[in-house]
Amino acid sequence: MPAVAPRHVRRTRRPGRPRRPRGSTAVRRTGWLVAAALALLAAVLLSLSVGSRPLAPGEVWHALLSGGGGGPGDGGHIAAQVVREMRLPRTLVGIMVGAALGLAGAVLQGLTRNPIAEPGILGISQGAAVAVVLAIAFAGVHTLAGYIWFAFAGAGLAAVVVYTIAARGRGGATPVKLALAGAAINALLASVVAAVLTTRAATLDEFRFWQIGSLSGRDAEIAAQIWPFLLVGIALVVRAARGLDALALGDDVARGLGQNIAAVRITGGLGAAVLTGVAVAAAGPIAFVGLAVPHLARALVGSGHRWLLPLSALLGPVILLVSDVIGRVIFPPSEVPAGVMTALIGVPFLIALVRRSRVAAA
């Protein structure tokens, strides 16, 4: 009679719980994408409805489709003007800026393997700030539409300088060297901004309204100027997505998988620079969206950039638009800029992230 294995041995050899099918994981992730898209639609409706003149969703829909109708003195015409000329361009800029910041943050965290990386880590935001200060002080530029080109050029130049410095020496542009070079350039550019502002009081008065970060006053002209660059940035980060997944395993493993590390870093870094330049040029430096959104998206769909990038692009506008709406109603009739509200929301998030990292490290 053959020997019978002990009960506990037989249990260990028997398969345990059936693994969750891959299809169910994909369905769950798709569900989060759909939920984020619905949340974005709700945030857009909220942004179009809420303000100094509250509008019902039906009024907003009627204003978008028919222009409100009626004579120039009736309420429908006024509602159409409010929605189409003021709130719709502001909302479109918010969608583009939020998506750009969310994507840029996800890419930078992937490139640097740094959980607190965000678009300002490479000095890109300060590069844009320097360019805007110089444009106001020495080029006589005094409009948002004029700021945007200087801000974009400054952001791009700062990114190139940071990468050039980090790429020198042994090992090329490693995550640590990128972070250190970004911190150094960021400090240098901040001192340049301070030097100009302390010697030109009129420049300070004008610059501070851009520096605080806001969607107020953004019109259709700004939206029309930034969307081509947004598409270029999205194309670059999508191209780098597979390489970012490999980089998460370490440089040696990524090389073993056939990835060109330098090409991935250049493509991803350039895409993040373009996206950050778009966001900062259009709305000023808005903090914490690029930091918080990738972490939230990663908690929902995992670290694979195939899912992380689209979810970050959806959640970024949700957070920015909701912050902007809260800023409109918290102290009526005045507005709190969106950059202030995102910072107020982001500081507790950053504290929670630090505490969680400390616990994990322990």
Side-chain angles (χ1 to χ4, degrees), residues 46-47 49-54 87 90 321-337 341:
L46 197 64
S47 180
S49 303
V50 175
S52 58
R53 178 188 172 92
R87 294 183 186 171
R90 179 174 182 162
L321 289 178
V322 171
S323 299
D324 184 49
V325 169
I326 294 174
R328 296 183 212 174
V329 301
I330 192 171
F331 292 123
S334 301
E335 286 191 15
V336 179
M341 295 307 304

PDB file of all heavy atoms in Angstrom, residues 46-47 49-54 87 90 321-337 341:
ATOM      1  N   LEU A  46     -19.012  71.554 -13.239  1.00  0.00           N
ATOM      2  CA  LEU A  46     -18.916  72.394 -12.048  1.00  0.00           C
ATOM      3  C   LEU A  46     -18.204  73.704 -12.362  1.00  0.00           C
ATOM      4  O   LEU A  46     -18.628  74.786 -11.925  1.00  0.00           O
ATOM      5  CB  LEU A  46     -18.153  71.629 -10.961  1.00  0.00           C
ATOM      6  CG  LEU A  46     -18.263  72.129  -9.523  1.00  0.00           C
ATOM      7  CD1 LEU A  46     -19.699  71.998  -9.026  1.00  0.00           C
ATOM      8  CD2 LEU A  46     -17.314  71.341  -8.631  1.00  0.00           C
ATOM      9  N   SER A  47     -17.128  73.628 -13.140  1.00  0.00           N
ATOM     10  CA  SER A  47     -16.381  74.824 -13.497  1.00  0.00           C
ATOM     11  C   SER A  47     -17.203  75.783 -14.345  1.00  0.00           C
ATOM     12  O   SER A  47     -17.080  77.005 -14.227  1.00  0.00           O
ATOM     13  CB  SER A  47     -15.101  74.430 -14.244  1.00  0.00           C
ATOM     14  OG  SER A  47     -14.351  75.562 -14.615  1.00  0.00           O
ATOM     15  N   SER A  49     -20.490  76.015 -14.200  1.00  0.00           N
ATOM     16  CA  SER A  49     -21.711  76.409 -13.498  1.00  0.00           C
ATOM     17  C   SER A  49     -21.468  77.349 -12.325  1.00  0.00           C
ATOM     18  O   SER A  49     -22.320  78.191 -12.018  1.00  0.00           O
ATOM     19  CB  SER A  49     -22.442  75.155 -12.974  1.00  0.00           C
ATOM     20  OG  SER A  49     -22.745  74.259 -14.024  1.00  0.00           O
ATOM     21  N   VAL A  50     -20.326  77.204 -11.657  1.00  0.00           N
ATOM     22  CA  VAL A  50     -20.107  77.895 -10.389  1.00  0.00           C
ATOM     23  C   VAL A  50     -19.297  79.163 -10.612  1.00  0.00           C
ATOM     24  O   VAL A  50     -18.327  79.177 -11.376  1.00  0.00           O
ATOM     25  CB  VAL A  50     -19.393  76.972  -9.390  1.00  0.00           C
ATOM     26  CG1 VAL A  50     -19.050  77.719  -8.109  1.00  0.00           C
ATOM     27  CG2 VAL A  50     -20.257  75.759  -9.093  1.00  0.00           C
ATOM     28  N   GLY A  51     -19.697  80.221  -9.928  1.00  0.00           N
ATOM     29  CA  GLY A  51     -18.989  81.490  -9.995  1.00  0.00           C
ATOM     30  C   GLY A  51     -19.790  82.574  -9.335  1.00  0.00           C
ATOM     31  O   GLY A  51     -20.719  82.319  -8.562  1.00  0.00           O
ATOM     32  N   SER A  52     -19.456  83.833  -9.624  1.00  0.00           N
ATOM     33  CA  SER A  52     -20.202  84.938  -9.045  1.00  0.00           C
ATOM     34  C   SER A  52     -21.654  84.940  -9.505  1.00  0.00           C
ATOM     35  O   SER A  52     -22.532  85.452  -8.815  1.00  0.00           O
ATOM     36  CB  SER A  52     -19.536  86.266  -9.426  1.00  0.00           C
ATOM     37  OG  SER A  52     -19.473  86.402 -10.841  1.00  0.00           O
ATOM     38  N   ARG A  53     -21.896  84.347 -10.687  1.00  0.00           N
ATOM     39  CA  ARG A  53     -23.274  84.161 -11.171  1.00  0.00           C
ATOM     40  C   ARG A  53     -23.508  82.663 -11.337  1.00  0.00           C
ATOM     41  O   ARG A  53     -23.172  82.080 -12.372  1.00  0.00           O
ATOM     42  CB  ARG A  53     -23.478  84.893 -12.500  1.00  0.00           C
ATOM     43  CG  ARG A  53     -24.868  84.701 -13.105  1.00  0.00           C
ATOM     44  CD  ARG A  53     -24.930  85.287 -14.514  1.00  0.00           C
ATOM     45  NE  ARG A  53     -26.175  84.937 -15.162  1.00  0.00           N
ATOM     46  CZ  ARG A  53     -27.271  85.687 -15.138  1.00  0.00           C
ATOM     47  NH1 ARG A  53     -27.269  86.837 -14.492  1.00  0.00           N
ATOM     48  NH2 ARG A  53     -28.369  85.299 -15.777  1.00  0.00           N
ATOM     49  N   PRO A  54     -24.077  81.995 -10.331  1.00  0.00           N
ATOM     50  CA  PRO A  54     -24.310  80.550 -10.448  1.00  0.00           C
ATOM     51  C   PRO A  54     -25.308  80.236 -11.557  1.00  0.00           C
ATOM     52  O   PRO A  54     -26.287  80.964 -11.751  1.00  0.00           O
ATOM     53  CB  PRO A  54     -24.875  80.164  -9.068  1.00  0.00           C
ATOM     54  CG  PRO A  54     -24.523  81.298  -8.162  1.00  0.00           C
ATOM     55  CD  PRO A  54     -24.496  82.520  -9.021  1.00  0.00           C
ATOM     56  N   ARG A  87     -16.045  81.408 -18.788  1.00  0.00           N
ATOM     57  CA  ARG A  87     -15.814  80.141 -18.088  1.00  0.00           C
ATOM     58  C   ARG A  87     -15.312  79.032 -19.002  1.00  0.00           C
ATOM     59  O   ARG A  87     -14.518  78.192 -18.573  1.00  0.00           O
ATOM     60  CB  ARG A  87     -17.097  79.704 -17.372  1.00  0.00           C
ATOM     61  CG  ARG A  87     -17.486  80.645 -16.252  1.00  0.00           C
ATOM     62  CD  ARG A  87     -18.710  80.177 -15.515  1.00  0.00           C
ATOM     63  NE  ARG A  87     -19.156  81.170 -14.537  1.00  0.00           N
ATOM     64  CZ  ARG A  87     -20.288  81.109 -13.862  1.00  0.00           C
ATOM     65  NH1 ARG A  87     -21.118  80.084 -14.048  1.00  0.00           N
ATOM     66  NH2 ARG A  87     -20.609  82.060 -13.002  1.00  0.00           N
ATOM     67  N   ARG A  90     -11.523  79.408 -19.667  1.00  0.00           N
ATOM     68  CA  ARG A  90     -10.841  79.134 -18.399  1.00  0.00           C
ATOM     69  C   ARG A  90     -10.840  77.637 -18.107  1.00  0.00           C
ATOM     70  O   ARG A  90      -9.823  77.083 -17.658  1.00  0.00           O
ATOM     71  CB  ARG A  90     -11.560  79.901 -17.283  1.00  0.00           C
ATOM     72  CG  ARG A  90     -10.995  79.701 -15.895  1.00  0.00           C
ATOM     73  CD  ARG A  90     -11.709  80.635 -14.932  1.00  0.00           C
ATOM     74  NE  ARG A  90     -11.198  80.532 -13.580  1.00  0.00           N
ATOM     75  CZ  ARG A  90     -11.389  81.440 -12.634  1.00  0.00           C
ATOM     76  NH1 ARG A  90     -12.090  82.520 -12.918  1.00  0.00           N
ATOM     77  NH2 ARG A  90     -10.888  81.280 -11.425  1.00  0.00           N
ATOM     78  N   LEU A 321      -9.314  71.739 -11.620  1.00  0.00           N
ATOM     79  CA  LEU A 321     -10.600  72.413 -11.803  1.00  0.00           C
ATOM     80  C   LEU A 321     -11.377  72.490 -10.490  1.00  0.00           C
ATOM     81  O   LEU A 321     -11.994  73.517 -10.186  1.00  0.00           O
ATOM     82  CB  LEU A 321     -11.428  71.685 -12.865  1.00  0.00           C
ATOM     83  CG  LEU A 321     -10.934  71.808 -14.304  1.00  0.00           C
ATOM     84  CD1 LEU A 321     -11.814  70.992 -15.245  1.00  0.00           C
ATOM     85  CD2 LEU A 321     -10.908  73.261 -14.753  1.00  0.00           C
ATOM     86  N   VAL A 322     -11.360  71.415  -9.713  1.00  0.00           N
ATOM     87  CA  VAL A 322     -12.058  71.449  -8.423  1.00  0.00           C
ATOM     88  C   VAL A 322     -11.408  72.475  -7.495  1.00  0.00           C
ATOM     89  O   VAL A 322     -12.101  73.226  -6.790  1.00  0.00           O
ATOM     90  CB  VAL A 322     -12.068  70.052  -7.778  1.00  0.00           C
ATOM     91  CG1 VAL A 322     -12.583  70.112  -6.350  1.00  0.00           C
ATOM     92  CG2 VAL A 322     -12.940  69.103  -8.604  1.00  0.00           C
ATOM     93  N   SER A 323     -10.077  72.538  -7.495  1.00  0.00           N
ATOM     94  CA  SER A 323      -9.387  73.544  -6.691  1.00  0.00           C
ATOM     95  C   SER A 323      -9.757  74.949  -7.143  1.00  0.00           C
ATOM     96  O   SER A 323      -9.966  75.853  -6.312  1.00  0.00           O
ATOM     97  CB  SER A 323      -7.867  73.350  -6.787  1.00  0.00           C
ATOM     98  OG  SER A 323      -7.481  72.081  -6.305  1.00  0.00           O
ATOM     99  N   ASP A 324      -9.845  75.150  -8.443  1.00  0.00           N
ATOM    100  CA  ASP A 324     -10.215  76.464  -8.974  1.00  0.00           C
ATOM    101  C   ASP A 324     -11.638  76.839  -8.562  1.00  0.00           C
ATOM    102  O   ASP A 324     -11.901  77.987  -8.184  1.00  0.00           O
ATOM    103  CB  ASP A 324     -10.078  76.444 -10.495  1.00  0.00           C
ATOM    104  CG  ASP A 324     -10.358  77.800 -11.126  1.00  0.00           C
ATOM    105  OD1 ASP A 324      -9.797  78.804 -10.647  1.00  0.00           O
ATOM    106  OD2 ASP A 324     -11.144  77.856 -12.087  1.00  0.00           O
ATOM    107  N   VAL A 325     -12.556  75.888  -8.621  1.00  0.00           N
ATOM    108  CA  VAL A 325     -13.945  76.160  -8.228  1.00  0.00           C
ATOM    109  C   VAL A 325     -14.034  76.491  -6.737  1.00  0.00           C
ATOM    110  O   VAL A 325     -14.732  77.432  -6.333  1.00  0.00           O
ATOM    111  CB  VAL A 325     -14.842  74.955  -8.575  1.00  0.00           C
ATOM    112  CG1 VAL A 325     -16.220  75.117  -7.939  1.00  0.00           C
ATOM    113  CG2 VAL A 325     -14.972  74.808 -10.088  1.00  0.00           C
ATOM    114  N   ILE A 326     -13.314  75.744  -5.905  1.00  0.00           N
ATOM    115  CA  ILE A 326     -13.318  76.030  -4.468  1.00  0.00           C
ATOM    116  C   ILE A 326     -12.780  77.431  -4.214  1.00  0.00           C
ATOM    117  O   ILE A 326     -13.307  78.184  -3.378  1.00  0.00           O
ATOM    118  CB  ILE A 326     -12.486  74.979  -3.710  1.00  0.00           C
ATOM    119  CG1 ILE A 326     -13.155  73.607  -3.807  1.00  0.00           C
ATOM    120  CG2 ILE A 326     -12.323  75.367  -2.248  1.00  0.00           C
ATOM    121  CD1 ILE A 326     -12.327  72.482  -3.217  1.00  0.00           C
ATOM    122  N   GLY A 327     -11.736  77.809  -4.958  1.00  0.00           N
ATOM    123  CA  GLY A 327     -11.176  79.145  -4.801  1.00  0.00           C
ATOM    124  C   GLY A 327     -12.140  80.249  -5.192  1.00  0.00           C
ATOM    125  O   GLY A 327     -12.050  81.371  -4.673  1.00  0.00           O
ATOM    126  N   ARG A 328     -13.087  79.964  -6.084  1.00  0.00           N
ATOM    127  CA  ARG A 328     -14.063  80.980  -6.491  1.00  0.00           C
ATOM    128  C   ARG A 328     -15.107  81.245  -5.416  1.00  0.00           C
ATOM    129  O   ARG A 328     -15.646  82.351  -5.342  1.00  0.00           O
ATOM    130  CB  ARG A 328     -14.795  80.532  -7.761  1.00  0.00           C
ATOM    131  CG  ARG A 328     -13.930  80.387  -8.987  1.00  0.00           C
ATOM    132  CD  ARG A 328     -14.803  80.003 -10.174  1.00  0.00           C
ATOM    133  NE  ARG A 328     -14.107  79.166 -11.129  1.00  0.00           N
ATOM    134  CZ  ARG A 328     -14.670  78.617 -12.175  1.00  0.00           C
ATOM    135  NH1 ARG A 328     -15.955  78.788 -12.407  1.00  0.00           N
ATOM    136  NH2 ARG A 328     -13.964  77.861 -12.999  1.00  0.00           N
ATOM    137  N   VAL A 329     -15.428  80.236  -4.617  1.00  0.00           N
ATOM    138  CA  VAL A 329     -16.579  80.351  -3.709  1.00  0.00           C
ATOM    139  C   VAL A 329     -16.193  80.455  -2.241  1.00  0.00           C
ATOM    140  O   VAL A 329     -17.046  80.741  -1.404  1.00  0.00           O
ATOM    141  CB  VAL A 329     -17.528  79.142  -3.898  1.00  0.00           C
ATOM    142  CG1 VAL A 329     -18.021  79.075  -5.328  1.00  0.00           C
ATOM    143  CG2 VAL A 329     -16.843  77.833  -3.520  1.00  0.00           C
ATOM    144  N   ILE A 330     -14.923  80.238  -1.901  1.00  0.00           N
ATOM    145  CA  ILE A 330     -14.567  80.169  -0.493  1.00  0.00           C
ATOM    146  C   ILE A 330     -14.618  81.533   0.183  1.00  0.00           C
ATOM    147  O   ILE A 330     -14.977  81.654   1.355  1.00  0.00           O
ATOM    148  CB  ILE A 330     -13.172  79.504  -0.336  1.00  0.00           C
ATOM    149  CG1 ILE A 330     -12.913  79.155   1.124  1.00  0.00           C
ATOM    150  CG2 ILE A 330     -12.077  80.391  -0.912  1.00  0.00           C
ATOM    151  CD1 ILE A 330     -11.664  78.310   1.324  1.00  0.00           C
ATOM    152  N   PHE A 331     -14.267  82.618  -0.540  1.00  0.00           N
ATOM    153  CA  PHE A 331     -14.309  83.971   0.013  1.00  0.00           C
ATOM    154  C   PHE A 331     -14.975  84.918  -0.975  1.00  0.00           C
ATOM    155  O   PHE A 331     -14.327  85.807  -1.538  1.00  0.00           O
ATOM    156  CB  PHE A 331     -12.896  84.481   0.337  1.00  0.00           C
ATOM    157  CG  PHE A 331     -12.222  83.772   1.463  1.00  0.00           C
ATOM    158  CD1 PHE A 331     -10.997  83.154   1.268  1.00  0.00           C
ATOM    159  CD2 PHE A 331     -12.803  83.715   2.720  1.00  0.00           C
ATOM    160  CE1 PHE A 331     -10.360  82.486   2.306  1.00  0.00           C
ATOM    161  CE2 PHE A 331     -12.174  83.051   3.762  1.00  0.00           C
ATOM    162  CZ  PHE A 331     -10.952  82.430   3.559  1.00  0.00           C
ATOM    163  N   PRO A 332     -16.262  84.725  -1.236  1.00  0.00           N
ATOM    164  CA  PRO A 332     -16.923  85.587  -2.215  1.00  0.00           C
ATOM    165  C   PRO A 332     -16.982  87.035  -1.705  1.00  0.00           C
ATOM    166  O   PRO A 332     -17.037  87.262  -0.490  1.00  0.00           O
ATOM    167  CB  PRO A 332     -18.327  84.970  -2.313  1.00  0.00           C
ATOM    168  CG  PRO A 332     -18.534  84.299  -0.994  1.00  0.00           C
ATOM    169  CD  PRO A 332     -17.182  83.804  -0.578  1.00  0.00           C
ATOM    170  N   PRO A 333     -16.951  88.048  -2.617  1.00  0.00           N
ATOM    171  CA  PRO A 333     -16.890  87.908  -4.078  1.00  0.00           C
ATOM    172  C   PRO A 333     -15.469  87.778  -4.621  1.00  0.00           C
ATOM    173  O   PRO A 333     -15.273  87.758  -5.829  1.00  0.00           O
ATOM    174  CB  PRO A 333     -17.524  89.221  -4.545  1.00  0.00           C
ATOM    175  CG  PRO A 333     -17.125  90.204  -3.496  1.00  0.00           C
ATOM    176  CD  PRO A 333     -17.120  89.443  -2.195  1.00  0.00           C
ATOM    177  N   SER A 334     -14.460  87.738  -3.719  1.00  0.00           N
ATOM    178  CA  SER A 334     -13.083  87.599  -4.184  1.00  0.00           C
ATOM    179  C   SER A 334     -12.795  86.142  -4.556  1.00  0.00           C
ATOM    180  O   SER A 334     -13.545  85.238  -4.201  1.00  0.00           O
ATOM    181  CB  SER A 334     -12.111  88.061  -3.100  1.00  0.00           C
ATOM    182  OG  SER A 334     -12.339  89.410  -2.753  1.00  0.00           O
ATOM    183  N   GLU A 335     -11.682  85.941  -5.275  1.00  0.00           N
ATOM    184  CA  GLU A 335     -11.256  84.599  -5.664  1.00  0.00           C
ATOM    185  C   GLU A 335      -9.901  84.280  -5.045  1.00  0.00           C
ATOM    186  O   GLU A 335      -9.024  85.136  -4.979  1.00  0.00           O
ATOM    187  CB  GLU A 335     -11.141  84.478  -7.188  1.00  0.00           C
ATOM    188  CG  GLU A 335     -12.455  84.412  -7.916  1.00  0.00           C
ATOM    189  CD  GLU A 335     -12.268  84.036  -9.386  1.00  0.00           C
ATOM    190  OE1 GLU A 335     -11.174  83.557  -9.741  1.00  0.00           O
ATOM    191  OE2 GLU A 335     -13.217  84.212 -10.154  1.00  0.00           O
ATOM    192  N   VAL A 336      -9.740  83.040  -4.600  1.00  0.00           N
ATOM    193  CA  VAL A 336      -8.440  82.531  -4.186  1.00  0.00           C
ATOM    194  C   VAL A 336      -7.835  81.811  -5.393  1.00  0.00           C
ATOM    195  O   VAL A 336      -8.464  80.900  -5.948  1.00  0.00           O
ATOM    196  CB  VAL A 336      -8.564  81.562  -2.999  1.00  0.00           C
ATOM    197  CG1 VAL A 336      -7.195  81.020  -2.598  1.00  0.00           C
ATOM    198  CG2 VAL A 336      -9.225  82.258  -1.813  1.00  0.00           C
ATOM    199  N   PRO A 337      -6.636  82.197  -5.849  1.00  0.00           N
ATOM    200  CA  PRO A 337      -6.064  81.573  -7.049  1.00  0.00           C
ATOM    201  C   PRO A 337      -5.925  80.062  -6.911  1.00  0.00           C
ATOM    202  O   PRO A 337      -5.717  79.524  -5.811  1.00  0.00           O
ATOM    203  CB  PRO A 337      -4.694  82.251  -7.171  1.00  0.00           C
ATOM    204  CG  PRO A 337      -4.839  83.543  -6.465  1.00  0.00           C
ATOM    205  CD  PRO A 337      -5.791  83.279  -5.333  1.00  0.00           C
ATOM    206  N   MET A 341      -4.893  77.162  -3.783  1.00  0.00           N
ATOM    207  CA  MET A 341      -5.737  76.051  -3.358  1.00  0.00           C
ATOM    208  C   MET A 341      -5.041  74.707  -3.546  1.00  0.00           C
ATOM    209  O   MET A 341      -5.141  73.829  -2.684  1.00  0.00           O
ATOM    210  CB  MET A 341      -7.056  76.069  -4.131  1.00  0.00           C
ATOM    211  CG  MET A 341      -7.938  77.283  -3.870  1.00  0.00           C
ATOM    212  SD  MET A 341      -8.256  77.576  -2.114  1.00  0.00           S
ATOM    213  CE  MET A 341      -8.957  76.005  -1.620  1.00  0.00           C
TER     214      MET A 341
END
